[in-house]
């Protein structure tokens, strides 16, 4: 059981380039999330999805787009990368419903992105 | 809006000493509370969670946390720290029900001296 898998693990971009981070989960979780982690800032929610075909903005959505075409996959896109988007990105997923379900997140190992 | 404050950015303890990491939250109703741990270069792993009931919750790796509603706190404790506990620790809060999004604190980095 792989859990949550993120690809790529590392990527270096030049300003203005585009890229997509892929998150895949094999736990049949309904909810998926993208966070970014910056030193001294903790984790901040970028976008999230409550089911296939749905997406919603989190705390810091600007400059990012997401898609959830399949339940198991959640893609994070950067259309025109900026140095301020240099960060470590974490994908997470959680099951639906029930007070002890929806809030328990399983995280991927992270994707380190550097924008020059 | 919900929020989490971890007052200590960095804590250093000696191996075998006791540990307490502080977490204060802000939320209008009864929150769901979590502690996650992140080892260097790794993702986050759930240590323990509080939803309701007994205010003292036990987690993995010998950690426990106590929910104190009157103090809006959810402090993490361990009686005897091991060198392998060196990591960054994050407290998080969620509202529960339809408010399932977690809000994280900024983290506390734990250094363990031999």
């Amino acid at each position: 059981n792989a859990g949550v898998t993120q690809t790529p693990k590392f990527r270096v971009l030049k300003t203005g380039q585009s890229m997509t981070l892929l998150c895949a989960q094999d736990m049949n979780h309904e909810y998926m999330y993208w966070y970014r982690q910056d030193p001294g800032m903790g984790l901040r929610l970028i976008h999230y999805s409550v089911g296939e075909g749905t997406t919603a903005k989190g705390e810091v959505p600007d400059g990012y787009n997401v898609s959830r075409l399949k339940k198991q996959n959640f893609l994070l896109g950067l259309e025109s990368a900026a140095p301020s988007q240099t960060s470590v990105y974490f994908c997470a997923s959680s099951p639906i419903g029930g007070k002890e379900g929806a809030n328990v997140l399983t995280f991927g190992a992270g994707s380190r992105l550097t924008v020059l | 809006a919900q929020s989490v404050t971890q007052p200590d950015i960095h804590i250093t303890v000696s191996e075998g000493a006791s540990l307490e990491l502080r977490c204060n939250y802000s939320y209008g109703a009864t929150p769901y509370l979590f502690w996650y741990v992140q080892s260097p270069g790794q993702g986050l792993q759930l240590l323990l969670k509080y939803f309701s009931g007994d205010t003292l919750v036990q987690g993995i790796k010998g950690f426990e946390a106590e929910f104190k509603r009157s103090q809006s706190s959810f402090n993490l404790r361990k009686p005897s720290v091991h060198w392998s506990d060196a990591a960054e620790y994050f407290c998080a809060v969620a509202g529960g029900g339809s408010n399932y999004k977690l809000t994280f604190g900024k983290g506390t980095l734990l250094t363990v001296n031999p």
Side-chain angles (χ1 to χ4, degrees), chain A residues 22-96:
Chain A
L22 171 63
C23 177
Q25 54 96 2
D26 61 3
M27 298 170 286
N28 200 34
H29 283 172
E30 202 69 27
Y31 301 161
M32 296 187 74
Y33 314 80
W34 276 107
Y35 285 88
R36 61 177 288 173
Q37 183 179 32
D38 302 291
M41 299 296 292
L43 279 82
R44 293 179 291 170
L45 183 64
I46 305 171
H47 285 281
Y48 64 99
S49 168
V50 300
E52 182 178 314
T54 75
T55 64
K57 294 180 180 179
E59 181 184 355
V60 288
D62 293 343
Y64 305 94
N65 56 77
V66 288
S67 64
R68 183 103 180 264
L69 299 180
K70 294 183 178 181
K71 183 178 182 178
Q72 64 268 33
N73 296 337
F74 194 31
L75 278 65
L76 178 71
L78 286 71
E79 290 187 347
S80 180
S84 61
Q85 294 178 303
T86 294
S87 187
V88 180
Y89 293 86
F90 286 98
C91 178
S93 68
S94 63
I96 190 171

Side-chain angles (χ1 to χ4, degrees), chain B residues 25-75:
Chain B
Y25 69 89
S26 174
Y27 184 68
T30 300
Y32 293 171
L33 295 161
F34 307 80
W35 276 99
Y36 281 83
V37 60
Q38 184 182 33
S39 298
Q42 303 296 314
L44 279 74
Q45 180 184 20
L46 180 69
L47 277 178
L48 47 78
K49 60 187 183 293
Y50 171 79
F51 289 116
S52 65
D54 192 346
T55 56
L56 184 63
V57 293
Q58 302 297 321
I60 62 171
K61 304 184 181 185
F63 285 91
E64 67 178 25
E66 186 171 12
F67 170 57
K68 293 185 177 180
R69 184 190 303 276
S70 62
Q71 299 177 18
S72 297
S73 69
F74 189 56
N75 294 349

